[in-house]
Amino acid sequence: MRIIDLSLPIDEKAFEVHKVEIERVGHKAGVEKFNRVIMGKTLLGKLKYALGERIVRKEDLPDEEFLSLEIVHSPVHVGTHLDYSFHYGSKSENRASKTAEEIPLEYCFCDAVKLDLTHKKPAETINAADIETALEKINYPLKANDIVLLHTGADKFYGTPKYFSDYPGIDITAIDYFLDRQVKIFGVDTMGIDRPYRFMLKEFLETKDTAAFYPAHFYGRKREFIHIERLANLEKLPDYGFKVICFPIRIKLTGAAWARVVAIL
């Protein structure tokens, strides 16, 4: 058995549209934070702390070190993650949309197939005909619950502004193609399933055609689907004959959740 990591990290040093911060409390500083937090629970404790009293000192600890602590401030759409219907709108298929913690786990450990879409350009969309052609090239018939991974190669731009501007989007005909064949989850190695802002927003502002603005995401209001964004390393996978695990982290009432997505060969 071989495991291939298909995930991107949450990295405060990487270029991101949304702000990401990771507060890192080191081992030396950890003892001071411990005292501040514990003593800060009462007014008397706060006063004693301000006057220099400590309940634990570094000299009391092995190597004069406490525990490290990292506090992550990040949108759930940074790093590899799964999107569910609440992200797309308040309703899906005329029902209240579902949050990421409601993603059925049985959908998240299934046979998978990789489709080569590396020829698609940033201004383009991947449509049903592209999916069908890619499947024909590898002679693979989709079956129910397959996890479909769309390989564009855009993950090589991760950490740079180009990651947000140079990738193809997904056409709703491709989403229909998957759903009509009982595919529950599909994934992309791009930062999103719609085309980059520079194309999508430009067309929307010029034409005022709402169909040009987030069409793939908004389609989740009509038909419920789950997708993975920000995959990586798809070039390391065979076309098929492997499984994917993409269990979402349980976060209450969110439209997306981080996942450590891996392939098992």
Side-chain angles (χ1 to χ4, degrees):
M1 182 180 73
R2 189 157 61 101
I3 297 177
I4 297 178
D5 191 355
L6 306 180
S7 306
L8 288 175
I10 298 171
D11 181 359
E12 78 272 36
K13 293 182 174 60
F15 179 89
E16 291 286 353
V17 171
H18 298 288
K19 187 176 182 179
V20 177
E21 290 183 353
I22 303 179
E23 180 185 349
R24 302 177 186 275
V25 181
H27 303 95
K28 298 292 185 183
V31 65
E32 192 63 22
K33 184 176 181 68
F34 175 83
N35 281 288
R36 186 169 64 252
V37 171
I38 298 301
M39 297 179 72
K41 292 183 179 299
T42 66
L43 182 59
L44 179 59
K46 289 179 181 178
L47 180 59
K48 288 181 176 180
Y49 179 84
L51 293 174
E53 186 174 328
R54 300 292 184 264
I55 56 175
V56 177
R57 295 186 178 277
K58 65 180 182 179
E59 294 81 7
D60 301 326
L61 302 173
D63 304 316
E64 297 188 351
E65 290 186 347
F66 192 57
L67 308 176
S68 70
L69 176 64
E70 294 76 44
I71 304 169
V72 179
H73 306 271
S74 170
V76 290
H77 297 276
V78 171
T80 304
H81 62 276
L82 279 70
D83 284 355
Y84 205 12
S85 57
F86 186 75
H87 179 48
Y88 315 137
S90 61
K91 289 187 177 181
S92 178
E93 299 182 357
N94 295 316
R95 302 187 300 268
S97 292
K98 297 173 184 174
T99 56
E101 64 184 300
E102 299 178 273
I103 293 174
L105 296 183
E106 59 268 26
Y107 296 169
C108 301
F109 184 14
C110 295
D111 290 338
V113 56
K114 179 191 74 173
L115 302 183
D116 183 4
L117 284 309
T118 53
H119 60 285
K120 299 296 289 189
K121 295 179 174 56
E124 298 176 339
T125 55
I126 297 166
N127 57 35
D130 295 318
I131 301 300
E132 199 155 47
T133 298
L135 286 166
E136 288 172 354
K137 282 184 178 179
I138 61 174
N139 193 29
Y140 185 87
L142 278 181
K143 63 182 186 299
N145 296 330
D146 275 348
I147 296 175
V148 183
L149 308 180
L150 306 182
H151 179 212
T152 72
D155 60 306
K156 65 179 176 290
F157 299 130
Y158 172 70
T160 73
K162 210 169 184 180
Y163 184 63
F164 294 87
S165 64
D166 285 56
Y167 60 88
I170 307 298
D171 190 81
I172 61 173
T173 61
I175 298 173
D176 278 333
Y177 189 94
F178 297 142
L179 297 180
D180 291 346
R181 288 156 181 79
Q182 304 302 307
V183 168
K184 306 300 184 184
I185 298 177
F186 67 91
V188 295
D189 58 2
T190 58
M191 65 79 60
I193 56 172
D194 282 293
R195 290 186 302 159
Y197 300 117
R198 65 183 176 124
F199 304 115
M200 180 175 59
L201 189 57
K202 180 176 182 292
E203 289 180 15
F204 172 69
L205 293 175
E206 288 176 350
T207 67
K208 300 302 179 184
D209 181 4
T210 56
F213 197 53
Y214 285 98
H217 277 87
F218 290 156
Y219 195 59
R221 300 177 184 182
K222 182 176 181 180
R223 299 190 72 179
E224 185 178 272
F225 64 88
I226 307 162
H227 75 273
I228 313 169
E229 291 179 343
R230 297 190 174 215
L231 290 167
N233 300 322
L234 298 187
E235 72 280 357
K236 297 180 180 179
L237 297 175
D239 295 326
Y240 54 86
F242 61 95
K243 290 184 180 292
V244 160
I245 299 176
C246 56
F247 296 128
I249 300 297
R250 292 189 72 183
I251 313 172
K252 295 291 290 184
L253 303 177
T254 60
W258 300 302
R260 185 68 177 267
V261 183
V262 300
I264 300 178
L265 278 64

